[in-house]
Amino acid sequence: MGNWTVRLKKGGITLVAAFVLMTTFAGPQSWHVYAAEINADIPQVIEKASPSVVAIIGKPSSEVDKTLEKNRFNLAHGTGVIVASNGVIVTNAHVVKDMKNIVVVTSEGTTYRGHASNIDEESDLALVKIDAVGLQPATFASSSDIKVGETVAAIGTPISFALRNSVTVGIVSGLDRSVSSQYQLIQTDAAINPGNSGGALINMKGEVIGINTMKYADIGIENLGFAIPVDTVKYVLKHFELYGKVKRAYTGLELEESWEAVVGLPSMAGLRVDYVDADSPAAEAGIEQDEVVVSIGSDSVQTLVDYNEAIKKYLPGQTVDIKLQSGSATLTKSVKLGELHNTEATLTEDADGSSLDADSGKTKIGDSHFGWSMKYPAGLVKRQQSDDGDSISFVDAKGEFALSIRIASDQSDELSPAALLTTIAGEDDSDYSSYGNSATVLERQYVKRAEYPYAKVVSRSGEDGYIQTRGYLHGGRLYTVQLFVTKEQYTNRSKQNSYNDLLDSFKLAFNTGDNSLKDISVFNSDDVTYTSEYGLSIDLPAAWEQDYHGSTSFYNDEYSQSLEIHVTSASSGDTLQNWVDREVDMFEAQYTADYRRVDKPVEATVDGVPAWQVDFASSLGDEWFAGRSLFFIKDKYKYEVRMTYPKDEQDDELEKMWDNVVASITVDKETMDGELGFIQDLNELADPDRTALYKNEKFNYTLRIPENWTTNRSYDGNDQATKSFSFPGGYLRVEADNKSVYTEVVKDAEEELKKSHTSDSDYSYSAEDVTLFGDVKAKKYKVSYSKAHIPYTETIYLFNRKQVTYTVTLRTDVAVSTAANVARLNKAFDSFAFVNGTESGK
């Protein structure tokens, strides 16, 4: 006998089976009969199951880009399975979690409004409810009856909503799969595509054996889909019915899989206890780190999926025996289970209006701020819009044309027709002109329309592109409207008439009382609210922007004013006064008295808690920068909101803005990132005098440098010839030269100093011979430049050791030449030591 594989392809359905060839050759004959029966049964099976499968469509919700919700063509869809005749439908959590305006369509085409009633992201299952009666619920199989190799069919809504209740057929490829899920999954080669999520995987009895959830989509990967097994579906549905959510047992264990389990090899190693939460059920039961979990109740566990499958059999409050391996001993410990409190998914509310079409009833489109409007064809899709709305582009849903509108301000209305035509001719250097290397003008004219005259240029770009550009002058603005079509569309007379009709509808007016007119203006002069992961919300002027997405730094449009938010944890025993005193002391320690100012803290109230406001200013000798910080403590976190700006920009308008910012601040503990822990305030631990050893092995010296100084090296990471150690307003720099003659280096340095003094008498210096490190002869130069853009002083040392010339520069701006800064700088230099010598200045 031998193993054979037969592939039968009928009607686009491929059936694959492995069988044993018997000496009587009865096997193949039986297989053909069986395959024919299966093919004959499939239509009846689908006919039985399909009424229980529905298509789900809705509008995706986005906290990042709210414009997505307003795009009538931006829709999301999936599939669901009816589980109760009164309109209860199970689907994937990822299908409906962020879906608004849900619409459910049954297999015969009846449409219902729906809403997500329950969501469980851990299992990726959810319920959708529609107002209906007499629906046909699906019949669920038993997981124990599912066999690898049995024929199955997937029913769903792949790719497009127009393809709802599509059927693909395959086999069960595997059971107990662990792929991006807490629980086991069914593997199938039945085609599962985007939109199939939430649909039914059925057996040849028409019973649901799983809910389709995902597929592998990568180059070279085919027919690799997965479904949530029916027993997990039943488990979740039961919890939804009894508790409104899935109640999961909590042990307090963090477990680690063996290497074999991670890579998919069979493993009998169990799960190592990586961590035990304090005061958790596991801790109370005496389970300790590094013990190995062997079984949960009667279920042995080797993987995290095994563990989750076993623990889901128990409810919070129940007691379970956990067998563990501790060294050579086997232990059993009884754990009274707690409840796992995962962050529950927030059910998405419907968008404004109940229609799936966000633009229902809108036949015109325009911008109320820039004052234009035009017809709104059903297929017009907004592609891109600038932040202020002065540039916007559209495409046709069928890909037949593209349209752009650009508004340029500060344009004279007295521009002549010839000048206007010349101006808009340059607009052919647009995104669309890339379709050809040069544009051939086909038409150019000034159209004298009574209400809205315009300049018009039609050109051919390359072989396939045609561009019509229209320019309008109105109210000191140039409105440029540009249409791009392909040659096929341009030469179609009826199409060309429809495009011209669209362009002719463009008006330099916006009727706010017209309910059929959709306003796409994004211009905003009001404050914008920003919310951070730390629960803090704050309003800033619309013109201000975040430094980058997720940053807590903000800038005005000229980047001259900034606002930063700093959040740290309040240490035990710390107070608002102690915190503010530390910050003021640190600021004053950075600058000498003539170059800083700190006002006395002013008491305030922020979101119901005490706060202190501190005004400050500083300068390095040229421009003064001012600012103010607001300090407050709430919900165990310390918040500092700091605004800085050039001192000469401080005026009543800035004061008003600051007052509005402070009044807007709120802290909501519920919106904090659930994973936030203790955030150490580094200023509490900072020691400006603590040093770390730097060793330059190439040039044989060491230094002890304050650890809060920054280190800069030359562009070549392997070149240690130049090394700088910086702090705000100063640095220590070491330049090592093993190629030049020491006397020549000294000569060049002195010539440079003399040259600087000759060109500017405010640049002064002195020179002397000194001995360093006990026996090293050196040159010492002291430089002072009091009239510089930023006044500074320098001490420069030149010395030679074993054919290496060292130039060490100690520089401080006068503004930061505090006794402490100067002492640290000198101490760092005094620590200079040769590697084969004795370190000094420890």
Side-chain angles (χ1 to χ4, degrees):
M1 63 179 69
N3 292 331
W4 284 58
T5 300
V6 175
R7 297 178 180 267
L8 300 179
K9 192 165 186 177
K10 296 185 178 180
I13 299 173
T14 302
L15 300 178
V16 182
F19 61 93
V20 178
L21 179 61
M22 305 300 292
T23 53
T24 60
F25 292 93
Q29 194 172 21
S30 300
W31 160 249
H32 283 292
V33 173
Y34 172 72
E37 291 175 352
I38 290 293
N39 276 307
D41 289 344
I42 288 176
Q44 287 78 20
V45 170
I46 300 305
E47 185 178 2
K48 174 184 177 182
S50 191
S52 302
V53 180
V54 298
I56 299 173
I57 192 170
K59 298 196 66 59
S61 171
S62 173
E63 293 298 324
V64 177
D65 186 358
K66 288 295 182 182
T67 61
L68 290 176
E69 298 174 17
K70 299 177 182 179
N71 184 338
R72 70 200 307 181
F73 286 95
N74 188 50
L75 301 171
H77 70 273
T79 311
V81 177
I82 299 169
V83 295
S85 61
N86 63 346
V88 180
I89 298 161
V90 66
T91 185
N92 284 146
H94 75 258
V95 169
V96 296
K97 178 180 181 293
D98 296 315
M99 184 182 282
K100 296 181 178 181
N101 293 12
I102 294 174
V103 171
V104 174
V105 181
T106 61
S107 60
E108 76 276 8
T110 305
T111 300
Y112 298 89
R113 288 294 314 281
H115 69 276
S117 59
N118 305 82
I119 292 179
D120 181 61
E121 292 187 78
E122 303 297 326
S123 63
D124 194 26
L125 290 171
L127 289 183
V128 170
K129 184 68 175 67
I130 61 176
D131 187 11
V133 294
L135 300 179
Q136 179 178 316
T139 302
F140 286 100
S142 172
S143 287
S144 60
D145 295 335
I146 304 173
K147 306 298 181 184
V148 174
E150 70 171 299
T151 302
V152 291
I155 309 177
T157 310
I159 309 301
S160 167
F161 202 68
L163 304 179
R164 59 184 182 272
N165 283 64
S166 294
V167 179
T168 56
V169 176
I171 62 169
V172 173
S173 304
L175 300 173
D176 303 338
R177 299 308 200 206
S178 170
V179 182
S180 302
S181 173
Q182 286 203 21
Y183 304 121
Q184 293 169 344
L185 298 174
I186 299 170
Q187 179 186 338
T188 178
D189 68 348
I192 295 176
N193 293 295
N196 274 115
S197 293
L201 187 67
I202 62 171
N203 59 20
M204 289 300 99
K205 298 178 182 178
E207 300 170 331
V208 175
I209 67 168
I211 299 297
N212 301 319
T213 184
M214 71 178 81
K215 69 171 287 187
Y216 267 117
D218 203 351
I219 296 175
I221 296 179
E222 297 180 0
N223 302 336
L224 196 58
F226 297 91
I228 302 167
V230 65
D231 64 341
T232 299
V233 178
K234 291 177 180 178
Y235 159 75
V236 171
L237 291 179
K238 180 179 180 181
H239 278 243
F240 280 163
E241 180 183 3
L242 295 176
Y243 316 115
K245 64 176 183 179
V246 178
K247 298 184 70 171
R248 289 184 171 85
Y250 164 70
T251 60
L253 295 174
E254 290 186 15
L255 303 169
E256 180 183 76
E257 293 180 323
S258 67
W259 177 85
E260 289 83 1
V262 170
V263 301
L265 289 170
S267 172
M268 299 301 293
L271 297 169
R272 186 183 71 85
V273 177
D274 188 50
Y275 182 77
V276 183
D277 288 344
D279 303 322
S280 66
E284 292 179 6
I287 298 177
E288 298 179 357
Q289 188 175 1
D290 291 327
E291 291 181 337
V292 176
V293 176
V294 178
S295 63
I296 304 290
S298 60
D299 297 301
S300 61
V301 295
Q302 284 84 42
T303 67
L304 291 174
V305 170
D306 290 344
Y307 172 82
N308 291 324
E309 288 285 352
I311 210 73
K312 82 178 184 185
K313 298 178 180 179
Y314 302 89
L315 287 171
Q318 293 181 329
T319 300
V320 60
D321 288 339
I322 298 181
K323 182 185 290 186
L324 304 118
Q325 191 73 32
S326 180
S328 60
T330 299
L331 309 172
T332 299
K333 298 179 181 180
S334 294
V335 178
K336 185 176 181 180
L337 300 169
E339 183 172 356
L340 182 63
H341 295 285
N342 286 326
T343 302
E344 293 187 30
T346 302
L347 296 177
T348 302
E349 298 180 359
D350 278 353
D352 295 337
S354 59
S355 174
L356 186 62
D357 180 4
D359 300 336
S360 178
K362 302 296 184 183
T363 59
K364 287 171 279 188
I365 194 169
D367 189 304
S368 58
H369 174 74
F370 288 106
W372 64 265
S373 59
M374 59 184 286
K375 284 184 177 181
Y376 187 18
L380 195 67
V381 181
K382 185 172 69 174
R383 184 179 70 168
Q384 195 171 17
Q385 188 172 15
S386 63
D387 291 340
D388 289 335
D390 58 356
S391 175
I392 184 168
S393 62
F394 302 91
V395 293
D396 176 58
K398 297 180 180 179
E400 293 183 352
F401 67 86
L403 179 75
S404 73
I405 300 171
R406 289 187 290 277
I407 301 101
S409 300
D410 302 326
Q411 180 68 61
S412 173
D413 288 347
E414 298 179 357
L415 207 63
S416 69
L420 181 57
L421 282 166
T422 302
T423 300
I424 69 166
E427 294 294 334
D428 279 341
D429 296 328
S430 66
D431 292 342
Y432 309 132
S433 64
S434 61
Y435 286 86
N437 295 325
S438 62
T440 301
V441 175
L442 303 176
E443 182 180 349
R444 180 173 62 207
Q445 64 173 311
Y446 186 77
V447 181
K448 296 181 179 180
R449 251 185 356 186
E451 194 173 9
Y452 308 113
Y454 60 89
K456 174 183 176 182
V457 175
V458 179
S459 59
R460 182 174 62 237
S461 182
E463 297 181 358
D464 297 322
Y466 287 79
I467 302 172
Q468 181 175 156
T469 305
R470 297 187 180 188
Y472 303 78
L473 286 174
H474 181 68
R477 293 171 176 154
L478 171 61
Y479 295 77
T480 303
V481 183
Q482 196 168 60
L483 178 80
F484 170 83
V485 295
T486 62
K487 182 176 182 179
E488 179 183 1
Q489 304 300 328
Y490 182 79
T491 54
N492 184 318
R493 180 59 59 182
S494 63
K495 291 286 187 182
Q496 189 176 141
N497 288 337
S498 68
Y499 300 147
N500 284 327
D501 180 63
L502 175 61
L503 291 173
D504 288 342
S505 73
F506 184 83
K507 295 181 179 180
L508 295 174
F510 187 96
N511 183 2
T512 55
D514 187 350
N515 292 329
S516 66
L517 176 54
K518 175 182 173 65
D519 188 0
I520 59 172
S521 175
V522 293
F523 186 85
N524 182 19
S525 60
D526 299 328
D527 290 348
V528 177
T529 300
Y530 295 91
T531 303
S532 76
E533 295 88 345
Y534 307 104
L536 185 143
S537 293
I538 189 168
D539 291 348
L540 290 174
W544 283 55
E545 295 182 356
Q546 281 181 282
D547 187 19
Y548 56 88
H549 181 67
S551 167
T552 54
S553 298
F554 305 85
Y555 297 89
N556 66 347
D557 52 359
E558 297 178 351
Y559 287 87
S560 61
Q561 302 167 5
S562 67
L563 185 138
E564 297 180 24
I565 301 170
H566 301 278
V567 182
T568 55
S569 293
S571 300
S572 179
D574 201 8
T575 65
L576 180 60
Q577 179 175 340
N578 290 341
W579 176 30
V580 174
D581 288 345
R582 282 196 308 272
E583 295 297 319
V584 171
D585 289 344
M586 289 183 64
F587 177 78
E588 291 182 334
Q590 293 179 24
Y591 300 91
T592 57
D594 293 339
Y595 293 88
R596 59 168 162 79
R597 174 182 60 78
V598 182
D599 292 351
K600 183 179 178 180
V602 176
E603 292 187 43
T605 301
V606 174
D607 198 22
V609 298
W612 277 11
Q613 177 179 301
V614 180
D615 286 19
F616 58 88
S618 64
S619 174
L620 291 176
D622 53 353
E623 186 177 5
W624 277 78
F625 285 88
R628 55 184 45 171
S629 285
L630 188 73
F631 301 89
F632 64 96
I633 301 175
K634 188 169 186 180
D635 294 325
K636 298 182 180 181
Y637 287 96
K638 301 187 303 186
Y639 296 85
E640 179 189 2
V641 180
R642 179 191 303 166
M643 183 171 69
T644 56
Y645 46 87
K647 196 172 187 298
D648 59 11
E649 291 188 12
Q650 189 170 0
D651 54 18
D652 292 342
E653 185 177 344
L654 190 65
E655 292 288 338
K656 182 179 179 181
M657 188 198 79
W658 172 257
D659 290 342
N660 290 338
V661 166
V662 173
S664 73
I665 295 174
T666 60
V667 176
D668 185 357
K669 189 175 182 179
E670 296 302 317
T671 63
M672 288 184 180
D673 190 320
E675 297 181 358
L676 280 180
F678 187 84
I679 305 171
Q680 180 69 60
D681 183 352
L682 298 181
N683 288 343
E684 294 181 37
L685 306 178
D687 180 0
D689 295 313
R690 185 178 178 87
T691 62
L693 182 68
Y694 166 73
K695 186 176 182 180
N696 191 313
E697 295 183 352
K698 182 174 182 179
F699 292 100
N700 304 316
Y701 69 89
T702 62
L703 282 167
R704 296 203 69 86
I705 299 296
E707 66 178 9
N708 63 348
W709 288 10
T710 58
T711 303
N712 299 314
R713 65 173 63 193
S714 60
Y715 290 109
D716 182 358
N718 297 319
D719 180 10
Q720 299 294 307
T722 301
K723 195 74 176 179
S724 294
F725 308 92
S726 306
F727 60 93
Y731 60 79
L732 184 153
R733 183 175 65 230
V734 180
E735 298 170 85
D737 184 350
N738 59 357
K739 298 179 181 178
S740 303
V741 178
Y742 172 65
T743 55
E744 292 297 324
V745 174
V746 172
K747 180 181 177 180
D748 291 344
E750 291 186 349
E751 287 180 354
E752 187 65 31
L753 291 169
K754 289 177 182 178
K755 182 179 178 181
S756 296
H757 174 67
T758 301
S759 62
D760 190 342
S761 59
D762 290 317
Y763 183 95
S764 62
Y765 73 94
S766 63
E768 63 176 312
D769 295 321
V770 295
T771 301
L772 302 174
F773 322 124
D775 61 349
V776 177
K777 302 300 182 181
K779 285 287 188 178
K780 177 181 179 181
Y781 305 95
K782 298 202 72 174
V783 176
S784 176
Y785 198 4
S786 58
K787 297 297 184 181
H789 180 61
I790 296 177
Y792 65 88
T793 61
E794 283 184 346
T795 302
I796 305 171
Y797 296 95
L798 274 75
F799 52 93
N800 182 266
R801 168 85 174 210
K802 293 185 177 180
Q803 288 77 50
V804 178
T805 297
Y806 299 89
T807 303
V808 183
T809 304
L810 285 63
R811 173 167 172 158
T812 53
D813 295 338
V814 172
V816 300
S817 295
T818 64
N821 279 338
V822 172
R824 278 189 284 271
L825 188 60
N826 289 330
K827 186 177 180 181
F829 174 68
D830 290 342
S831 73
F832 188 99
F834 300 107
V835 172
N836 59 351
T838 303
E839 288 190 42
S840 60
K842 301 301 189 207

